[in-house]
Amino acid sequence: MTDADSLITSRNPADPTDVVLQVPAPGAFAVADAVERARAAQPDWLLGGAAARSTALGAVADAIDAAAADLAALAVREVGKPLAEARAEVARTAAIWRYYAQAPYEPVGAVHETAMGPGLLLTRRRPHGVAGLITPWNFPFAIPSWKAAPALAAGNAVVLKPAPEATACAQRLAEIVQQALPDEVFTVMPGGATEGDALVSSADVLSFTGSTAVGQAVARAATERGAPVQAEMGGLNAAIVLPDAGIEQAAAHIAASIAGYAGQKCTATSRVIAVGAALDPLREALSEALRAVPVGDPAEATTVSGPLINGRARDQVSEAWHGLGALAGGTVPDGPGWYAAPTLVEKVPTGHRLLREEVFGPIAALLPADDLAHAVRLTNSVPYGLVTSVHTTELDAALRGLDRLDTGMIRINAPSTGVDFHLPFGGAKASSQGPREQGRAALEFYTSSQTYTLSPAGAT
């Protein structure tokens, strides 16, 4: 959060009196200067060759592993991530850098025969130049890494603008990365909208993760100036439970997706659609599972649902359940910190914000469906299409659902949360814009294809 336009203040959401970091916002000119310095450094980074880039990214992975305990503790303190999740995120962050450390050795083109006569036709993918990355606070190490690592592996330089609430985490990540890379190849510029706008106006390729409204504005601005852009935005994700599902297992998966990290994930479950006879047993099992979720200090190893990121976020959650009958939760615990109990509501009126907007907190609506076709219609009825989980023991039913869901990711008998970083990540409709990120798709996004014609000297 920003206390003033010129000052960035990051607070511990479990104890708002604990100021984690306070730094001046650099301003638009400083961001533009950072991009120009990165642009000057980028050619040498590319021409240093695959081995140098691979070694550098591998060194980042090793350094993250070595600093794992400190990084996890910082994520707990700055963004309220429960300790178990923070440790898992740091481990995944190291794995991301290690995965992309192999990418510089991958083929970057193909050789083709000419249509007529001697010579060769070549295609070759080349980096754009400077990748501008705008990232959220909820995965303060993993999301900047799964954007930066492929961009760097492909030969781009990077300028990262993190969310103000995760400034300390971003700066700590920069310290690690910069030790392994040449000067100016990786830069963090903290700040808010002013710094973000400046980065969108100057970088050669843009990747954004955050709210839908801001992401759409970023996509428009980048497109107008011809810069490639991808934007990962909101989700209003559904879990479909069929009558044949293992109800207890489904309830455990869905409760984890609602309440884990206080629901502050774009892949969190916010609508639970019970088909036919699944409604009554699921209502009971899911309510019980949510009431049993450990809520409290994120520094405790057993905590699953910690604080919301700030007071405004907590107020949005409590406003969302206001006037609805809560099957579980619906309360704000006493004491310091921005906490809200994991909450399940039902009989939600048509048009209620829980059925049309992402609240980004530990709350979900339970909805009945007559059959699978009805459940699919309910799932598809919202503006978003990021991820859907389907819970069933019948493969035929799962496949019928897969064919009609308009979401970018579908998970069968698994929580809606969870990301395989070596596979493409993204959604449909208002959830995503532009190419996918992660996996090999990211390497394609951070490069463009060039076609070469090689003809013998003197050929006619």
Side-chain angles (χ1 to χ4, degrees):
M1 59 189 295
T2 55
D3 293 336
D5 290 342
S6 60
L7 192 65
I8 301 162
T9 302
S10 173
R11 297 182 183 274
N12 180 347
D15 177 9
T17 64
D18 175 22
V19 175
V20 180
L21 174 144
Q22 198 168 61
V23 295
F29 289 114
V31 173
D33 181 63
V35 170
E36 285 307 309
R37 287 184 279 113
R39 188 170 287 124
Q42 183 268 331
D44 287 342
W45 170 243
L46 173 64
L47 296 176
R53 296 200 302 279
S54 177
T55 298
L57 269 61
V60 172
D62 292 342
I64 289 171
D65 277 337
D70 290 342
L71 295 175
L74 181 57
V76 169
R77 183 183 176 209
E78 185 171 38
V79 300
K81 178 155 287 195
L83 181 58
E85 283 210 36
R87 288 170 173 166
E89 179 182 346
V90 172
R92 180 170 55 169
T93 299
I96 289 167
W97 287 93
R98 196 162 281 117
Y99 171 78
Y100 285 110
Q102 303 307 308
Y105 291 113
E106 292 291 315
V108 293
V111 179
H112 303 263
E113 294 292 333
T114 62
M116 293 184 297
L120 292 174
L121 300 176
L122 308 177
T123 59
R124 189 185 189 195
R125 301 198 70 86
R126 307 301 284 162
H128 293 291
V130 178
L133 313 179
I134 300 175
T135 58
W137 49 263
N138 58 337
F139 288 87
F141 299 119
I143 292 181
S145 293
W146 79 49
K147 293 177 186 294
L152 292 165
N156 297 277
V158 164
V159 177
L160 167 66
K161 206 295 288 182
E165 295 88 346
T167 300
C169 288
Q171 291 188 342
R172 183 69 182 93
L173 179 64
E175 291 173 3
I176 291 173
V177 176
Q178 288 168 350
Q179 288 179 357
L181 271 60
D183 291 345
E184 312 298 348
V185 172
F186 182 90
T187 305
V188 167
M189 297 300 292
T194 296
E195 289 74 18
D197 290 344
L199 188 57
V200 172
S201 299
S202 54
D204 301 311
V205 57
L206 275 302
S207 182
F208 168 91
T209 298
S211 71
T212 300
V214 177
Q216 290 174 341
V218 167
R220 285 194 299 269
T223 300
E224 286 175 358
R225 52 182 288 262
V229 60
Q230 61 182 189
E232 293 299 333
M233 299 172 285
L236 195 56
N237 309 304
I240 299 173
V241 182
L242 277 71
D244 64 274
I247 296 297
E248 294 298 326
Q249 181 189 57
H253 285 166
I254 296 167
S257 296
I258 295 170
Y261 193 20
Q264 298 174 118
K265 305 175 184 179
C266 62
T267 54
T269 295
S270 51
R271 295 176 298 146
V272 183
I273 302 173
V275 178
L279 179 61
D280 289 342
L282 182 63
R283 178 192 292 115
E284 181 179 351
L286 183 54
S287 298
E288 182 178 346
L290 284 171
R291 286 192 291 266
V293 169
V295 179
D297 184 353
E300 295 292 332
T302 57
T303 295
V304 171
S305 188
L308 279 297
I309 190 64
N310 54 39
R312 180 169 53 86
R314 185 185 60 184
D315 291 345
Q316 288 178 344
V317 173
S318 62
E319 288 167 6
W321 73 51
H322 181 72
L324 300 174
L327 299 169
T331 60
V332 174
D334 292 332
W338 295 305
Y339 292 89
T343 299
L344 181 68
V345 296
E346 67 173 347
K347 298 180 181 178
V348 180
T350 301
H352 191 279
R353 64 176 301 190
L354 283 173
L355 305 183
R356 56 185 173 82
E357 299 176 13
E358 182 183 46
V359 175
F360 218 62
I363 182 170
L366 178 63
L367 308 171
D370 298 330
D371 51 28
L372 178 58
H374 185 199
V376 170
R377 289 196 301 273
L378 288 174
T379 301
N380 293 343
S381 66
V382 299
Y384 302 96
L386 184 57
V387 59
T388 300
S389 66
V390 180
H391 302 264
T392 179
T393 57
E394 292 190 11
L395 179 61
D396 288 351
L399 292 176
R400 287 196 299 273
L402 292 177
D403 287 340
R404 289 176 284 171
L405 291 168
D406 58 5
T407 50
M409 298 178 290
I410 300 167
R411 295 170 64 86
I412 307 299
N413 295 322
S416 62
T417 52
V419 173
D420 297 301
F421 60 79
H422 57 295
L423 294 179
F425 178 93
K429 300 186 288 189
S431 289
S432 300
Q433 187 163 335
R436 294 291 189 249
E437 59 180 351
Q438 300 196 133
R440 292 196 58 81
L443 296 169
E444 294 185 4
F445 171 69
Y446 289 113
T447 57
S448 61
S449 180
Q450 293 181 325
T451 300
Y452 299 80
T453 301
L454 280 66
S455 298
T460 59

